[in-house]
Structures are given as C-alpha cells and as structure tokens.
Amino acid sequence: MTALWIALLIACLGSYGLKLAGMSLPESVLNHPRVQRVAAFLPVAMLSALVAVELFDGGGGRYAVDWRTLAGVAAGVVALLLRRGLLVVFLVAIGVTALLRLVT
Amino acid sequence: MSQPTDAAQPVLPQRGAILRAAVGIGLYAGAFAVTFGAVSVGSGLSVAQTMVLSLVMFTGASQFAFIGVVAAGGAPFAAASAALLLGVRNAFYGVPVSEILHPRGARRWLTAHFVIDETTAMAIGQPTQAAKRYAFWATGLILCSLWQLGTLIGALVGRAIDPADFGLDAAAPAVYLALLWPNLNRTETRVVAVAGALLAVALIPIAPPGLPVVAAAAVAVVAGLRRARP
C-alpha cells in the first residue's frame, strides 16, 4: 500500500470521525464559545488560503499567475456581487477561463 | 434509512419547495463533482482513489484540499492534514443536526455521513421540525447520489481530457469564494480571510507544498482565542 493510499484512508476515516464526533460529543464541549469561534474561523482562513494558493502557487516554491484563471475567478466574483447562486458562479468562472484559453 | 415523511401526519406543505431547492443544490453539486473527478485524476490520483474520496470523505472542500496538495507535489500527510482541518466544521454541524433528527444507535452512524454544509444549511432553514427532517434527507440523498455519479463521470472523462482546456482549474477557487462570501459581511471574518490568504501566499516559497494551507489554520486559532478575551 502506497503512502498516498494510507494518507487518503486516514483523511477519509478522520473526516467521517469528525462528523460522528459532532453528533456524539457532549454539547458543552462544542458549545464552548472559544471552541465555536475557532471553528467558525477555521474554514474562513483555510478556504481563502486555498483560493490564494490555487491562484498564485506555480509549483516548486515559485509564484505564478495564469491570468485566464484569474479572470475566470474574477468573473465569478462579479456573479457573486450580482447575488447569483453557486451554480451560476461555478459556470461563469469555468466558462470565462475556458473561453479565454480557447482564444489566446 | 430514515424516511422524512411520517404516515401519521398530513403531507408537508413545504415539500415541493424543499424538493426543488434540493434538486437545485444537487445539480450544482453534480457539476462540481464532475470537476472534482476530472481534476483529481489530472492531479495523479487513480479513479479508485478519487471514488473513495467522494464515497467516504464526502465533503467537497476537504476533497479539493486533499487533491490540491497532492497536485502541488505535497506530502500525502500534508494533504490529509489540510483535508481534516477543513472537515472540523462538520463536527459543529452535528449539534443542530442532532437536535433536529435525534438519531440513536446505528442510525446515528448513518446520519453522521450526511452532515455537510448543504444538508445542515437546508435543514436549519426550515420552519418546522418535520420540514427540517425532510430537508436534511432530501438534500442529503439527492446530493450524495449526484456527487458520486458526477465524480465517476469526471474521473473517467478526466483521463482523456486536460481539465484546464475546459477552465476547470477556475472551478475550485470560484466555489471556495462563493462559500466564503456570506462570511465576509463582518470585519473580523474579513480580517481572518485576508490574513489566512496572505500567510499562505507568504509561505509558498519557503514551506513544503500543502503547508501554506494548513498553516492558515493558525490564523483561525489565534483570532478565535484572542477575540474570546473580554
């Protein structure tokens, strides 16, 4: 078994374990204000870090930007500003990126 | 399987609206899953590994984080750390979901698998207890089916195409931003989001792949503990 498979299975079972823990732990633990604040901030910090890394990491420790991806994501932000739903944001972002890649 | 309808009660008035919303979420999730499958095999994972992620992990942001770290050449355990840290929020969804469904014994094990962003948001958004239960299971079952189907299609098609040709590399960042969006209405969450992104970008040249995303968790911990002080 490869390291990738082992890490993948740990991550899968751990993810399920987190869901199960939320339904099983005493509520007092999860309702602790400090714990709740950290938990609320966790996806905010990590999702924005993921966005930044997806857009600016060129691999091998170098920065790189593909302006077509950037333009597609920016078009998605415009859709968000126009209060469109997830599906529209998703389609606009990949559509604009694919189109720019086709014509450039 | 918990059936949302109760024979002793009249048909839910919100049933049609809930089903329409659940199908809408399912369609978006199916399209996003096709992207996941294609990007995953494009990142070097096998079709089997891609399917195990969707079937067992079954929480989109963690799955994308995992394959993102692998694609960047990160260590498998950095990929697992990023996925697990992002999955912590699902534990907190368990509290409202338990209050709605009160699952016991074996049913709790099954219910836990479906506790994700979309099912929790749909369930807590309904006016009555029966509507909440129906919304949780309708969203969970439709989304899960289309998520698996989409992943399989994406993984099989992804071996033949370059996901970048279809703009699929823009999908994950755009969807993360859409998930973040409702949180950015408060100054403190905006600061956390910007600080997390800046820290991750600053670490790109010096940290091994995957670590910049994991390190952003520290921003959440510091901000959460600091703000708790009176």
Side-chain angles (χ1 to χ4, degrees):
Chain A
M1 203 178 228
T2 63
L4 180 59
W5 261 117
I6 295 168
L8 188 146
L9 291 176
I10 289 172
C12 284
L13 296 176
S15 295
Y16 174 72
L18 284 167
K19 295 175 180 175
L20 190 63
M23 309 201 78
S24 313
L25 284 175
E27 263 183 48
S28 56
V29 176
L30 294 176
N31 277 338
H32 192 284
R34 224 173 256 203
V35 175
Q36 281 199 328
R37 237 188 301 265
V38 172
F41 286 145
L42 213 44
V44 173
M46 293 188 74
L47 286 173
S48 65
L50 271 168
V51 173
V53 169
E54 297 261 346
L55 292 179
F56 302 113
D57 186 358
R62 271 195 299 274
Y63 293 114
V65 185
D66 185 330
W67 65 271
R68 289 159 297 196
T69 315
L70 206 58
V73 174
V77 170
V78 172
L80 281 170
L81 289 169
L82 297 172
R83 300 178 177 278
R84 301 289 125 182
L86 261 176
L87 185 59
V88 174
V89 173
F90 168 85
L91 292 175
V92 165
I94 66 170
V96 168
T97 304
L99 198 68
L100 288 173
R101 217 159 259 152
L102 194 69
V103 298
T104 53
Chain B
M1 187 79 42
S2 168
Q3 280 307 312
T5 45
D6 188 343
Q9 286 178 358
V11 174
L12 273 176
Q14 303 89 350
R15 201 173 153 157
I18 292 171
L19 260 186
R20 272 193 300 279
V23 169
I25 291 171
L27 287 178
Y28 137 72
F32 195 38
V34 173
T35 306
F36 170 74
V39 174
S40 179
V41 295
S43 306
L45 280 83
S46 67
V47 174
Q49 287 166 333
T50 303
M51 285 313 297
V52 168
L53 281 174
S54 275
L55 284 163
V56 185
M57 190 178 279
F58 186 50
T59 176
S62 293
Q63 294 179 223
F64 266 101
F66 189 92
I67 63 168
V69 173
V70 172
F77 290 94
S81 307
L84 287 171
L85 281 167
L86 266 171
V88 166
R89 72 190 187 290
N90 290 330
F92 289 83
Y93 296 157
V95 176
V97 170
S98 291
E99 280 168 9
I100 292 164
L101 296 166
H102 302 293
R104 308 219 175 279
R107 185 166 284 188
R108 190 169 64 192
W109 290 70
L110 179 71
T111 307
H113 189 55
F114 292 91
V115 178
I116 52 174
D117 297 300
E118 292 86 349
T119 50
T120 308
M122 274 287 282
I124 60 180
Q126 305 306 320
T128 65
Q129 203 68 4
K132 285 173 201 272
R133 271 201 300 273
Y134 185 78
F136 180 86
W137 284 111
T139 309
L141 295 177
I142 292 171
L143 190 154
C144 188
S145 313
L146 293 175
W147 187 253
Q148 310 309 334
L149 182 68
T151 305
L152 186 61
I153 292 171
L156 295 176
V157 172
R159 290 191 298 185
I161 60 153
D162 181 357
D165 284 344
F166 295 84
L168 297 186
D169 52 326
V175 169
Y176 297 149
L177 273 174
L179 291 175
L180 270 173
W181 207 253
N183 293 305
L184 299 182
N185 55 357
R186 290 186 305 141
T187 309
E188 58 175 353
T189 45
R190 273 201 290 264
V191 170
V192 169
V194 171
L198 287 178
L199 177 64
V201 168
L203 287 174
I204 287 174
I206 45 177
L211 203 75
V213 175
V214 175
V219 173
V221 174
V222 170
L225 297 182
R226 201 181 65 84
R227 295 288 303 175
R229 276 194 216 116

